[in-house]
Amino acid sequence: MIDKSEIQKQLDFTLMETSLDGLGKLYRGKVRDNYSKDGKRIIITTDRISAFDVVLGTIPFKGQVLNQMARFWFDKTGHIIGNHMLDHPDPNVLVAKECTPLPVEMIVRGYITGVTNTSAWTHYKNGIRNFCGNILPEGLKKDQKLDMPIVTPQTKAEHGGHDESVSKEEILKRKIVSEQDYDLMSEASLKLYEKGVEIAAKQGIILVDTKYEFGRDESGNIILIDEIHTPDSSRFWFAEGYEERFKKGIEQKKIDKEYVRKWLADRGFTGSGVQPELTDEVRINAARKYIEAYELITGDQFSSDTGDMKTRIENNLRHGGYL
Ligand SMILES: Nc1ncnc2c1ncn2[C@@H]1O[C@H](COP(=O)(O)OP(=O)(O)OP(=O)(O)O)[C@@H](O)[C@H]1O
Ligand SMILES: [Mg+2]
């Protein structure tokens, strides 16, 4: 594990945003800068951190962690379904095949959990048993493993809108995607999740739930796009002690970005009003958590690329012939 002083040194060198000429049309998400040109999408994962739908600042090495974690999983799952990864010229950059995204996000859940108003557990607690067409049995407890993982699709809202959970039936009725495409995505999602569970388990980690996005490539094939099995799209728990905590009804030990959310919530910020400025300490701790997550999940040691990132990224892109 990287030491604190190295993270400290990187505090002033984090990547907030890029604006690179010649890479194509820029779309800035909350975390990633996406450039599109000539059928390629250059995805630069920055160090921005967002919580409650607000960008709050940067966390050292976060972009590298997320990008390399996605790369790890794309490599491990390419045999299940093709994905958009073409090249990785820099620790923060993925060159992907530009696709036409399919407007449904496939969420796979192996456990019933969550605490927010919209979470599956909250709905279950309030009496709901039908989850996008999956009927769950009576008597489940919070964080319980489901007999079989379930797929709960969501329609992708336009920028700024809210996603909506829908059943397969509703998706077909609204002609959002064809039945054939839906089934392909649904089956692939379950297989990807199963693979994720298997690999994570070897590391002593439970892949609790996750989200996949698919797109159609230029030949019309449906492939996996966006990212896969990172803490931004997935929940992870520690396997050790899961049963005991579950039986006692106490919170699971998790790997995720709750740390910063919690820090903010403790200071009264849940999305509106004045946002507290992230302190060096919280940024360093969050960085450690991301790096820890990377090492735990992949089993690889994180090798940090320090120093000025903009120059490095530009050089690597130029070297790869993208600039
Ligand atoms: N290979 C691809 N081809 C086309 N679109 C893609 C590809 N990979 C991902 N996308 C889409 O690019 C968009 C931008 O993603 P990004 O995650 O950066 O921003 P966002 O989803 O708008 O916001 P957020 O930061 O909340 O995730 C997403 O809608 C995603 O579905
Ligand atoms: Mg996104």
Side-chain angles (χ1 to χ4, degrees):
M1 177 72 194
I2 182 173
D3 59 67
K4 202 175 153 179
S5 65
E6 203 174 333
I7 300 176
Q8 179 120 32
K9 269 192 266 166
Q10 194 65 15
L11 282 173
D12 295 331
F13 292 109
T14 55
L15 186 66
M16 184 62 178
E17 64 177 37
T18 64
S19 34
L20 292 159
D21 283 332
L23 269 193
K25 194 169 162 276
L26 169 64
Y27 169 82
R28 251 190 215 122
K30 282 196 287 293
V31 172
R32 290 172 295 176
D33 289 353
N34 303 264
Y35 296 85
S36 299
K37 195 175 77 175
D38 304 333
K40 289 201 174 112
R41 191 177 185 94
I42 295 179
I43 304 176
I44 304 181
T45 309
T46 69
D47 293 324
R48 295 193 289 270
I49 184 158
S50 83
F52 308 109
D53 280 339
V54 190
V55 174
L56 299 149
T58 57
I59 305 295
F61 305 118
K62 176 175 179 277
Q64 189 185 336
V65 162
L66 291 180
N67 186 51
Q68 292 191 329
M69 209 182 279
R71 181 185 160 190
F72 169 88
W73 287 110
F74 280 133
D75 279 335
K76 299 273 185 213
T77 58
H79 64 288
I80 297 171
I81 183 164
N83 59 56
H84 71 170
M85 184 169 73
L86 295 171
D87 193 9
H88 22 73
D90 180 274
N92 286 67
V93 182
L94 186 83
V95 178
K97 231 189 259 185
E98 180 76 39
C99 296
T100 309
L102 293 163
V104 233
E105 294 184 347
M106 303 300 276
I107 297 166
V108 184
R109 304 168 193 278
Y111 296 74
I112 184 141
T113 188
V115 287
T116 61
N117 289 337
T118 53
S119 74
W121 169 249
T122 306
H123 288 316
Y124 186 90
K125 200 173 60 179
N126 293 337
I128 290 173
R129 295 293 176 268
N130 185 339
F131 289 78
C132 305
N134 305 280
I135 310 297
L136 295 185
E138 290 301 318
L140 293 181
K141 295 200 182 73
K142 183 167 182 283
D143 300 346
Q144 189 159 348
K145 186 174 188 205
L146 301 173
D147 288 341
M148 299 270 274
I150 59 170
V151 179
T152 58
Q154 265 185 2
T155 56
K156 264 173 81 172
E158 288 300 307
H159 214 42
H162 280 286
D163 297 346
E164 184 195 354
S165 281
V166 277
S167 63
K168 171 181 172 179
E169 225 179 357
E170 188 63 26
I171 288 173
L172 299 185
K173 205 172 92 190
R174 291 195 214 161
K175 297 197 172 17
I176 296 171
V177 293
S178 72
E179 179 158 29
Q180 195 188 350
D181 291 349
Y182 180 87
D183 289 344
L184 186 150
M185 289 193 287
S186 170
E187 277 162 37
S189 299
L190 286 167
K191 283 188 196 149
L192 290 167
Y193 176 74
E194 197 184 330
K195 192 73 194 166
V197 166
E198 179 197 314
I199 292 173
K202 288 190 189 134
Q203 292 291 121
I205 303 293
I206 297 173
L207 173 60
V208 180
D209 48 32
T210 190
K211 174 205 83 175
Y212 303 107
E213 290 187 38
F214 296 88
R216 204 181 291 283
D217 71 9
E218 56 184 10
S219 337
N221 297 317
I222 292 180
I223 62 173
L224 183 65
I225 63 169
D226 209 53
E227 53 105 316
I228 165 170
H229 301 166
T230 75
D232 277 354
S233 64
S234 318
R235 262 196 196 97
F236 298 97
W237 291 337
F238 287 84
E240 197 187 326
Y242 161 77
E243 276 299 330
E244 207 182 316
R245 287 187 288 273
F246 169 65
K247 279 186 194 133
K248 286 189 184 153
I250 58 176
E251 232 186 293
Q252 291 300 325
K253 202 173 154 206
K254 47 192 156 197
I255 302 180
D256 61 13
K257 54 177 187 181
E258 290 300 302
Y259 174 73
V260 176
R261 276 177 79 94
K262 193 169 175 303
W263 186 86
L264 292 161
D266 288 347
R267 277 154 191 79
F269 182 78
T270 52
S272 53
V274 187
Q275 66 187 65
E277 199 180 324
L278 301 180
T279 61
D280 285 358
E281 196 201 349
V282 79
R283 292 174 71 209
I284 292 171
N285 289 342
R288 286 186 71 97
K289 291 198 177 273
Y290 272 97
I291 293 166
E292 234 168 64
Y294 175 85
E295 296 190 339
L296 273 166
I297 292 165
T298 65
D300 295 337
Q301 202 182 333
F302 180 73
S303 111
S304 60
D305 258 285
T306 50
D308 181 55
M309 299 174 66
K310 280 193 179 157
T311 316
R312 188 200 73 208
I313 290 172
E314 250 188 272
N315 285 340
N316 282 334
L317 284 170
R318 194 163 291 120
H319 195 238
Y322 300 104
L323 261 179

